Amino acid sequence: MPWKGGTLRQFFRNSGHLIRLAAVLIAGLCVFLLIRTALIPKAFGKYGHYSPGALDVIRQRPVSYAGQDTCVMCHDGEAKERASGRHAHVACEACHGPQAAHANADDPSAHKPRLPDVANLCRRCHEKDAAKPAHFPQVVTAEHSGGAACNSCHQPHNPHL
Amino acid sequence: MELSRRDLITIGGKLLVLASVGAAFEEITGAAPPSEAYKMAEHWWGMIVDIDKCIGCGNCVRACSNENGVPKGYFRTWVERYEVENVDGRQEPHVESPNGAIDGFPPSTRQDVKSFYVPKLCNHCVDSPCVQVCPVGATFVSPDGVVLVDENYCLGCRYCIQACPYGCRYLHPEKRTADKCTLCYHRITQGLTTACCENCPTGARQLVDFKNPKDPVHEFLRTNKVEVLKPYMATGAKVYYKDLDGSVR
Amino acid sequence: MAIPGVEGFMYPNEVELQWGLLIVLYPYITGLVAGAFILASLERVFKVEAVRPTYRLALLTALAFLLVAPLPLQLHLGHPERSMEMYLTPHTSSAMAMFGFVYLWYLTVVLLLEIWLEYRADIVHMARTSTGLKGLIYKALTLGSMNVSPASRVIDDKVGYAVTVIGIPSAFLLHGYVGFIFGSVKANPWWSTPLMPIVFLFSAMVSGIAGVMVLYMAVMKAKKMPIDMRCVDTIAKYLFYTFVIDFSLEMLDLVHRTYEADESFRSLNFMVHTRLWGSQVILQIFLCTLVPLALLASTQLFRIGEAKRRAMYLITGLLVLVGIFAMRWNVVIGGQLFSKSFLGYTSFKVQFAAREGLLTAIALMILPFAIFVALVKLLPPWPETTEAPGD
């Protein structure tokens, strides 16, 4: 031992630079901890390891699809017609697109939904495809209608002939 | 004064929108802010998917894109078409998902193979590997069981994207943060269903609440053979598939 | 309808690679740090006197690369300005969250401390003799203590020894944890193996040792100073040993995967034979592992002239540096080229002038050398015209 026989004072004198270094490191650590405490987001960890505020931010996103219940509140006729047919479980917006802007508008008629593009719309569901469940109604449209629009025979809201 | 039904809806709708804007409008509308109307502890969300009902129309993909502003070329939900061939006793799947099936699928006429559609989305896992690896707590399982991303806190390190076994996450090209299915958290917390479920014409996918004793999910799970995707990953996935073929990955 | 660069089926979000060239660089650079430090500790802790001439050089190399190590990560982040969150709310279940702490620990408590203790006599000497800005820097570095009495240096030596002893597991931790980041991703069979941290560690040692060896020879050449062949021979011997272990581990991993042939095997096997054939089989395994191993083995087995040995060491060192880079590439990029559905493959092209492109990567690889030159100017690793540091 280098300091054997020497006094404790000598030892401290000879390791003075290390004590200074330790002071620098501890000061650095304190600054780090102070900054850290100041910057941690408020309420972080309330429910788990995250900011609970994120939940509210995500919930504030506006809705685009108003939902079936909203549509049928006004559109009685279409709703009744649809409810009695094979499309009873197809939501209005599944074909008509997102209508929250229409439903929430002061004047809904100013946000009139565009009529669906029937040629593509019906085929997406009903074009014959081996991967579709066998019980699902499907046709090879080219053979079935020879190019005529689906709604020239079928009523989309209640698609019996 | 006579109010038509349409007027009432209009007013109701506005109140809803205002309420969802949050606490700032509390005094004006008198409506409770969403955090109080909705009790997180009373819900535990998931989804059930009935493979035998999916027709591959892509309505869910389009609805999700419209509802959530999903950037082009990325998908919070997508549909895959499986065509499984039997080659000398080995099930060889051939899978496609053109542009996530946002425009549906070109018709397939192959009769010699087993074919079916598989809708995919975030499984909102309980033991979520993506949440586990997030270095800062920017992604998390909410108290009602939805895996969400805090886009104001995410570093964009993409470790979560690597950790997801299902490919459900992507880096949002503009926000530069991880992005994923929120299970339409903004909808389900105000009593609506998700955009994909709302727009599924055959009811192949259904939002479920495991904490609601009246939810049909309990009967569904009791009476059907179900499976989650990649069960060996032990992620605690909460999207249950009915009639899922063993070849699906 | 087919997506360019994609073969078979990828989940739609998988087509784009998440971790590119910079994330290849990151384990490469930290590997060089850990390897260089472990070489330095050979002298300090394991008393391998022959490598003494490279001791200081190895420490400065480690520091130069360690200072650059966080940069590729920082540049890769979608939001670099948020990186401080790692220190604010580190997620204890995330391997990556530990990076900030392991890094700070290694930088301050291990490397800076060891360098400071090693150089203190020189620093005090230069603080006394230099003037102006340089003098001020040295004065600041003394922390106001000019005590370089033999007794204080004995204490320094003891503390330095302790720091190195702590430093070895820290270097293991620094790089082993980088391996863990990949090895713990259960979703990815190319990465998910408990061998990953160990393979990373040994490849780190290989690259660090080779790096310091090449750097030592280059610096000696540049300084027109004689190369200490006993030193280089010893380094080459240790390089050979670690490389044999590293290669055995990697082959063990490969053999194990091939033999077990789990559900991912067909897909990964196809990938190795196609997209990774050039970078893994030809470059990494054949050219940059078997060739240098053969060269090193022959220097161990046969009597070869000094000039020839030097040339062989140089070629070996450079090949190893390329090979370990290729290994990082094959792990990081390879792990993202196949679909987690095991039904398809995507491809990766390095961009040139992008934030995560080739230019950035080249700049990031030049930067440590610039820092190294500055450090050498500030803290000369060998006795200059001035008197030798007293020890």
Side-chain angles (χ1 to χ4, degrees):
Chain A
M1 302 290 272
W3 52 86
K4 198 181 269 176
T7 61
L8 201 61
R9 248 179 81 194
Q10 258 176 324
F11 170 69
F12 274 119
R13 191 180 323 133
N14 282 326
S15 51
H17 57 287
L18 291 174
I19 296 167
R20 283 162 195 261
L21 181 77
V24 170
L25 287 179
I26 290 169
L29 188 67
C30 290
V31 170
F32 170 78
L33 288 177
L34 273 178
I35 296 177
R36 186 171 177 272
T37 321
L39 289 183
I40 291 179
K42 280 188 196 69
F44 194 95
K46 186 181 169 194
Y47 301 123
H49 194 79
Y50 58 95
S51 286
L55 291 166
D56 297 324
V57 171
I58 294 164
R59 289 181 63 182
Q60 273 159 29
R61 185 178 176 84
V63 161
S64 295
Y65 288 90
Q68 188 59 27
D69 296 345
T70 307
C71 302
V72 300
M73 282 166 115
C74 302
H75 301 281
D76 306 322
E78 290 84 350
K80 269 192 200 117
E81 199 184 343
R82 191 194 61 127
S84 61
R86 299 283 297 272
H87 277 172
H89 298 292
V90 182
C92 305
E93 289 164 303
C95 298
H96 293 282
Q99 301 303 342
H102 163 74
N104 294 330
D106 287 333
D107 175 16
S109 60
H111 289 79
K112 229 179 171 141
R114 287 224 314 255
L115 276 176
D117 165 26
V118 174
N120 281 318
L121 181 76
C122 305
R123 283 171 52 189
R124 275 206 187 107
C125 293
H126 294 289
E127 187 71 54
K128 175 106 181 133
D129 181 344
K132 280 175 186 164
H135 56 77
F136 184 78
Q138 43 193 314
V139 292
V140 179
T141 43
E143 296 167 7
H144 178 75
S145 65
C150 308
N151 58 350
S152 56
C153 299
H154 301 276
Q155 282 305 310
H157 289 142
N158 186 356
H160 62 86
L161 275 177
Chain B
M1 183 173 99
E2 263 212 39
L3 282 172
S4 72
R5 190 137 65 125
R6 207 173 277 239
D7 286 337
L8 273 175
I9 303 311
T10 310
I11 293 163
K14 275 189 221 151
L15 282 177
L16 243 176
V17 169
L18 279 175
S20 69
V21 172
F25 290 94
E26 196 180 352
E27 297 86 355
I28 309 169
T29 63
S35 51
E36 283 177 28
Y38 172 80
K39 299 252 185 312
M40 287 190 286
E42 290 169 6
H43 304 275
W44 195 248
W45 298 107
M47 197 174 279
I48 51 179
V49 177
D50 189 341
I51 296 280
D52 208 28
K53 283 185 180 168
C54 181
I55 55 168
C57 64
N59 247 12
C60 49
V61 187
R62 289 187 296 280
C64 177
S65 173
N66 287 334
E67 181 72 32
N68 297 296
V70 180
K72 199 169 176 285
Y74 301 89
F75 300 91
R76 291 185 179 194
T77 185
W78 68 95
V79 185
E80 295 166 5
R81 177 164 61 196
Y82 269 72
E83 293 184 314
V84 188
E85 201 165 355
N86 194 303
V87 183
D88 302 330
R90 207 193 263 272
Q91 293 270 291
E92 299 278 9
H94 170 79
V95 186
E96 57 184 331
S97 182
N99 203 11
I102 198 160
D103 297 310
F105 288 83
S108 157
T109 50
R110 285 192 69 176
Q111 292 296 339
D112 57 328
V113 291
K114 169 170 61 184
S115 55
F116 51 88
Y117 292 106
V118 185
K120 296 262 183 97
L121 72 156
C122 170
N123 292 282
H124 295 281
C125 310
V126 182
D127 303 313
S128 189
C130 56
V131 170
Q132 182 187 32
V133 301
C134 177
V136 297
T139 187
F140 53 90
V141 182
S142 70
D144 37 3
V146 182
V147 177
L148 296 170
V149 178
D150 182 348
E151 62 171 55
N152 295 314
Y153 208 62
C154 172
L155 300 173
C157 74
R158 296 166 241 186
Y159 201 8
C160 57
I161 307 176
Q162 305 286 10
C164 174
Y166 312 102
C168 294
R169 288 173 168 252
Y170 54 87
L171 190 83
H172 194 289
E174 279 101 46
K175 294 177 184 167
R176 309 289 300 159
T177 53
D179 204 32
K180 66 176 289 294
C181 162
T182 62
L183 208 64
C184 283
Y185 198 64
H186 60 297
R187 296 175 61 91
I188 63 175
T189 51
Q190 50 175 301
L192 294 165
T193 186
T194 64
C196 55
C197 293
E198 171 75 29
N199 287 289
C200 177
T202 62
R205 44 205 289 168
Q206 262 177 281
L207 174 77
V208 298
D209 181 357
F210 295 100
K211 277 196 185 169
N212 177 359
K214 287 187 195 139
D215 198 294
V217 68
H218 305 293
E219 182 68 6
F220 179 87
L221 292 180
R222 198 178 58 78
T223 53
N224 289 298
K225 277 91 182 165
V226 296
E227 184 56 290
V228 294
L229 293 175
K230 301 190 180 182
Y232 48 88
M233 284 286 162
T235 57
K238 293 207 295 327
V239 174
Y240 284 94
Y241 288 83
K242 175 177 177 277
D243 294 330
L244 189 71
D245 191 80
S247 62
V248 174
R249 297 85 197 267
Chain C
M1 188 163 51
I3 310 161
V6 171
E7 190 181 338
F9 172 71
M10 301 289 289
Y11 295 135
N13 295 324
E14 273 184 329
V15 173
E16 176 183 70
L17 264 71
Q18 300 301 328
W19 288 349
L21 187 54
L22 294 190
I23 303 300
V24 176
L25 268 193
Y26 161 65
Y28 187 58
I29 290 176
T30 53
L32 289 169
V33 176
F37 182 84
I38 285 165
L39 179 60
S41 64
L42 265 186
E43 195 273 337
R44 191 77 196 235
V45 177
F46 301 105
K47 310 287 182 220
V48 183
E49 277 306 317
V51 300
R52 174 76 202 168
T54 59
Y55 174 62
R56 290 182 157 195
L57 198 73
L59 284 183
L60 295 186
T61 310
L63 180 60
F65 279 94
L66 189 64
L67 289 174
V68 177
L71 288 183
L73 293 183
Q74 191 71 18
L75 282 166
H76 155 267
L77 289 181
H79 284 269
E81 79 283 2
R82 294 181 186 169
S83 58
M84 280 303 287
E85 290 168 5
M86 291 257 202
Y87 290 115
L88 300 181
T89 56
H91 195 199
T92 45
S93 69
S94 167
M96 198 183 271
M98 295 305 113
F99 170 75
F101 295 96
V102 172
Y103 179 82
L104 271 193
W105 166 267
Y106 192 76
L107 178 67
T108 53
V109 178
V110 176
L111 209 46
L112 285 178
L113 194 56
E114 178 157 349
I115 291 174
W116 187 69
L117 290 169
E118 164 68 18
Y119 273 97
R120 218 170 57 79
D122 306 51
I123 292 172
V124 169
H125 174 74
M126 287 180 287
R128 286 202 177 111
T129 51
S130 342
T131 50
L133 183 66
K134 225 177 164 185
L136 275 178
I137 293 174
Y138 287 123
K139 280 212 176 64
L141 285 177
T142 63
L143 299 179
S145 166
M146 295 292 196
N147 184 359
V148 282
S149 64
S152 73
R153 290 303 284 158
V154 171
I155 295 176
D156 282 353
D157 194 52
K158 294 226 176 278
V159 176
Y161 179 81
V163 167
T164 318
V165 170
I166 298 170
I168 296 170
S170 301
F172 276 46
L173 185 67
L174 177 73
H175 207 67
Y177 117 91
V178 177
F180 187 80
I181 283 189
F182 292 95
S184 62
V185 178
K186 70 175 165 188
N188 190 321
W190 188 241
W191 291 344
S192 175
T193 156
L195 273 181
M196 194 62 95
I198 308 180
V199 168
F200 262 55
L201 198 59
F202 275 93
S203 55
M205 283 159 65
V206 169
S207 69
I209 293 171
V212 173
M213 184 177 77
V214 171
L215 201 58
Y216 172 69
M217 291 199 279
V219 168
M220 289 297 113
K221 193 97 190 158
K223 287 260 161 195
K224 297 200 168 54
M225 286 159 85
I227 293 174
D228 182 340
M229 276 317 278
R230 195 170 74 100
C231 169
V232 184
D233 283 336
T234 312
I235 297 179
K237 191 176 73 187
Y238 281 101
L239 179 61
F240 180 58
Y241 296 159
T242 40
F243 208 4
V244 167
I245 299 174
D246 176 44
F247 186 56
S248 311
L249 287 170
E250 286 191 42
M251 286 305 106
L252 175 64
D253 182 45
L254 203 71
V255 169
H256 193 264
R257 283 170 188 280
T258 312
Y259 194 79
E260 266 200 350
D262 68 9
E263 58 156 4
S264 66
F265 178 68
R266 274 212 295 175
S267 181
L268 299 182
N269 189 43
F270 181 82
M271 179 175 78
V272 170
H273 283 88
T274 52
R275 280 165 162 68
L276 289 186
W277 184 254
S279 63
Q280 176 141 8
V281 179
I282 304 291
L283 190 67
Q284 184 195 331
I285 296 182
F286 185 74
L287 193 61
C288 296
T289 303
L290 293 178
V291 172
L293 272 179
L295 285 173
L296 286 172
S298 53
T299 61
Q300 300 295 314
L301 291 173
F302 308 113
R303 292 174 69 95
I304 299 169
E306 240 182 56
K308 258 194 189 151
R309 264 198 342 266
R310 270 202 298 272
M312 284 166 84
Y313 290 153
L314 187 69
I315 295 169
T316 301
L318 292 173
L319 283 179
V320 166
L321 286 172
V322 172
I324 301 295
F325 181 83
M327 181 263 183
R328 309 293 190 230
W329 173 279
N330 294 323
V331 170
V332 176
I333 303 298
Q336 302 170 78
L337 290 180
F338 65 93
S339 170
K340 285 170 188 159
S341 68
F342 307 134
L343 292 171
Y345 308 88
T346 187
S347 47
F348 177 61
K349 271 213 172 67
V350 178
Q351 287 174 291
F352 184 66
R355 183 162 74 145
E356 297 187 49
L358 188 61
L359 268 187
T360 315
I362 291 171
L364 283 176
M365 277 319 285
I366 292 174
L367 191 57
F369 292 99
I371 295 175
F372 177 75
V373 169
L375 283 174
V376 165
K377 279 231 152 51
L378 191 69
L379 303 168
W382 42 79
E384 290 276 7
T385 43
T386 52
E387 52 159 321
D391 50 336

